[in-house]
Amino acid sequence: MKKVLIFLVSFLALANIDAQIIKPVKWSTKVDKISATEFNLVMKGKIDEGWHLYSQFTPSGGSLPAEFKFENTKGNYDLVGKTKESVYKKAFNDVFGVDEYYFEKQVTFTQKVKISNAKLTLIKAKIDYQVCKQSCINDNKDFVFEIPANTSITVIPAVDSSKISTVAITKKVIKEPNQVVEIPVKEAKKGLWMIFFLAFLGGLAALLTPCVFPMIPMTVSFFTKQSKNPAQGKRNALLYGISIIAIYVVLGLVITTIFGADALNALSTNPWFNVLFFILLVVFAASFLGAFEIMLPNSWANKVDRQADRGGIIGILFMALALAIVSFSCTGPIVGTLLVESASKGGIAPIVGMLGFSTALALPFMLFAMFPSWLHSLPKSGGWLNTVKVSLGFLELALAFKFLSNADLVLQLHLLEREVFLAIWIAIFGTWALYLLGKIMTPHDSPLTHISVGRLSLGVLVLAFTIYMIPGLFGAPLKLISAFPPPQTYSESPMGFFGTSSVVSKNGLPNGSEIGPHGLTVFKDYETGLAYAKKVNKPVMLDFTGYACVNCRKMENNVWSDEKVLNVLKNDVVLISLYVDDKRELPKREQNISKITGNEITSIGDKWTEFIITKYKTNTQPFYVLTDLKEQKLNVPISYTPSIEAYLAWLKEGISKFK
């Protein structure tokens, strides 16, 4: 009887682990008729307790955003704007170093369409989305919308789709592995204030450039001489400042209107636009460093200047516009960078950014015009203005590589891994330090006879920061800049140049394998790894994981790093890591349609997603399976297990059965 009970318990445990196909989101749809040709396609998701679905605007570098695809091969309708969504929440992911946007309990997506074919009766759409709790699922759903003829609202059940893969859980984790901090929607307002503050600093930096700073006394002198009395001078100065603010805010408004409130954010998460942003910032940096000047046509400035002579409110407005045009070679790169950076936040962020920038730019002109005696406290123009401009160039160049890193991470090209990124930053900031200390000069620098205390202090600070980054090449976490370089797992040597992984020669690795976390030999192809396991007569440990899987990284960093666990993984098993979110395309001959789910298998991630579902009836990561050489499970597979003792016991149990 006792043996029967043990058998039943074991059977139920195995049955339970094999019944983990989870569908945390229940979908429904409806069609709202706006006019005879315009409709809103509404998709509502009811999210199970504790689960979070990620927004289509969550920034790149963290969890995967929701993505919509509308089937419109014959051009029967047009999409009006981007898919709108209900209000999301926001949380910081300290593993990936980015803010992430998500929904809980429920979500509503709405897409407006305009029908051009009167005979159209159905619209098909699909959403790919990520939903996470302790584990994560990269799921999708097919929708069919019936376009009503006379009714105002038609409700159609969502069509099931069972393609399932897994990626990262993302929230700010504190103290305990499963404790999370959820930041309310009000945090979005704090984010806008942060954008305003950073843009304000950008405006102050623009003031201290050769194109803007010398214009302050010139402008103040104009208002002082042209005004009939001090009161009129102050009023004109106030109007001048407001005009400067209005010009830049209108620029932000135009950008937001043209692209849509959230379209810029969607672009910023696209790897190819990240490459474009990289190129733009490199061009801006080269301009600041003195390679060339980015200038608007002189004819624009001449025409605007003539209008400024008209006087009155119109004249003052054109004077402000003339300032924007004439100073563009210095302010343009800063404005461009601010627009790129604020675009990643979406919404009205470009407008808020331009408001902060223009406020900082306008305030000195207004204040010095109102109180001309303050001009005596201004430092004289000189070579230090070009020093500020060149310093901004170095900062622009460093920021550019963050965007290139985003693209590299998304595409998994491994061209800009952590060591390469840090080496580039060390070179940039080291060169900046040498420049500030007077060891090198740029084309527009004046002869340097001595170094001021301020320049020396900044040079020492930049040099200290450069030295701080050097240990990062050898595995140091660099917490001060953790949000900028790629994660430690995305590197040539996850343990650093002198860590465990660096002493393993790639030439000595088995064919088809590579160096993984902590110097482990890892196969990323199942058949290749299984063949090697048969050759060396060792059990297989399947590691179903994802590049964006936070709990997978926690297991690697906190559990696999333990000396006893690491020893087992190195010597007693053949490790095969299968990434279900690998977006690289499969060779055409391997692409197919799943007989189980009916989904297209086109990427490497699709292949391993299909494998875990059909073989192990689960759809969550991380997921670990120990098998023998006949591909039979040695013990019950496990998922996220933060306890080192429990994980080690599980490993030893399976290996003992193999022996």
Side-chain angles (χ1 to χ4, degrees), residues 194-212:
M194 179 58 66
I195 291 171
F196 179 88
F197 175 72
L198 294 175
F200 189 87
L201 292 180
L204 294 179
L207 276 172
L208 303 178
T209 58
C211 314
V212 180

Side-chain angles (χ1 to χ4, degrees), residues 246-308:
I247 288 169
Y248 284 99
V249 169
V250 168
L251 174 62
L253 181 62
V254 168
I255 295 295
T256 304
T257 302
I258 291 175
F259 292 97
D262 294 309
L264 281 173
N265 171 271
L267 293 180
S268 72
T269 62
N270 183 291
W272 302 114
F273 276 93
N274 272 276
V275 172
L276 176 61
F277 294 157
F278 163 75
I279 295 172
L280 282 174
L281 293 188
V282 169
V283 171
F284 293 157
S287 173
F288 272 156
L289 293 173
F292 50 83
E293 287 192 354
I294 303 174
M295 299 182 65
L296 296 175
N298 288 328
S299 59
W300 292 15
N302 294 333
K303 291 178 181 178
V304 170
D305 195 49
R306 286 195 294 270
Q307 293 296 323

Side-chain angles (χ1 to χ4, degrees), residues 21-25 27 53 65-67 126-131 136-141 160-167 599 613 619:
I21 302 295
I22 303 171
K23 307 291 283 185
V25 185
W27 293 96
L53 186 151
E67 182 180 358
K126 179 179 182 179
I127 178 176
D128 290 306
Y129 62 95
Q130 178 178 329
V131 58
C136 290
I137 300 166
N138 188 23
D139 206 349
N140 60 32
K141 180 69 69 176
D160 246 345
S161 171
S162 55
K163 179 179 177 183
I164 303 169
S165 61
T166 301
V167 281
N599 294 309
I613 292 174
N619 60 344

Side-chain angles (χ1 to χ4, degrees), residues 189-422:
K189 294 182 180 179
K190 293 182 181 179
L192 290 177
W193 277 111
M194 179 58 66
I195 291 171
F196 179 88
F197 175 72
L198 294 175
F200 189 87
L201 292 180
L204 294 179
L207 276 172
L208 303 178
T209 58
C211 314
V212 180
F213 189 82
M215 297 183 70
I216 296 176
M218 294 171 55
T219 305
V220 171
S221 175
F222 172 83
F223 282 122
T224 303
K225 293 178 180 179
Q226 296 297 319
S227 302
K228 296 179 180 179
N229 53 64
Q232 186 185 28
K234 292 180 180 180
R235 184 174 64 253
N236 290 341
L238 183 62
L239 288 173
Y240 181 69
I242 293 174
S243 298
I244 293 174
I245 294 173
I247 288 169
Y248 284 99
V249 169
V250 168
L251 174 62
L253 181 62
V254 168
I255 295 295
T256 304
T257 302
I258 291 175
F259 292 97
D262 294 309
L264 281 173
N265 171 271
L267 293 180
S268 72
T269 62
N270 183 291
W272 302 114
F273 276 93
N274 272 276
V275 172
L276 176 61
F277 294 157
F278 163 75
I279 295 172
L280 282 174
L281 293 188
V282 169
V283 171
F284 293 157
S287 173
F288 272 156
L289 293 173
F292 50 83
E293 287 192 354
I294 303 174
M295 299 182 65
L296 296 175
N298 288 328
S299 59
W300 292 15
N302 294 333
K303 291 178 181 178
V304 170
D305 195 49
R306 286 195 294 270
Q307 293 296 323
D309 293 335
R310 296 170 57 181
I313 296 177
I314 299 298
I316 292 174
L317 177 62
F318 277 101
M319 277 185 64
L321 186 58
L323 170 69
I325 294 173
V326 172
S327 65
F328 185 79
S329 60
C330 290
T331 60
I334 299 176
V335 169
T337 304
L338 288 173
L339 286 174
V340 167
E341 191 65 24
S342 60
S344 66
K345 305 299 181 182
I348 62 170
I351 300 174
V352 174
M354 289 301 93
L355 177 62
F357 175 84
S358 58
T359 301
L361 194 66
L363 273 177
F365 288 94
M366 289 190 293
L367 293 175
F368 284 111
M370 290 179 178
F371 308 99
S373 60
W374 290 6
L375 283 174
H376 299 296
S377 62
L378 273 181
K380 294 182 179 180
S381 300
W384 66 273
L385 291 173
N386 192 67
T387 302
V388 173
K389 186 177 177 182
V390 171
S391 295
L392 290 174
F394 282 111
L395 289 173
E396 292 262 11
L397 190 58
L399 181 61
F401 282 94
K402 172 57 180 173
F403 288 97
L404 186 61
S405 175
N406 288 343
D408 185 61
L409 282 166
V410 172
L411 297 174
Q412 288 292 307
L413 298 178
H414 287 268
L415 298 176
L416 198 64
E417 293 176 318
R418 185 178 177 87
E419 293 88 350
V420 178
F421 183 96
L422 289 175

Side-chain angles (χ1 to χ4, degrees), residues 171-182:
K171 286 185 182 64
K172 184 174 182 180
V173 180
I174 58 172
K175 296 183 180 179
E176 300 297 333
N178 296 326
Q179 185 180 2
V180 300
V181 177
E182 295 184 2

Side-chain angles (χ1 to χ4, degrees), residues 31-61:
V31 177
D32 288 343
K33 186 175 181 180
I34 302 173
S35 67
T37 58
E38 291 183 319
F39 301 86
N40 276 333
L41 311 181
V42 183
M43 296 151 277
K44 290 187 176 180
K46 184 178 180 181
I47 307 169
D48 289 350
E49 188 69 30
W51 289 84
H52 297 86
L53 186 151
Y54 290 90
S55 164
Q56 58 189 319
F57 305 121
T58 194
S60 60

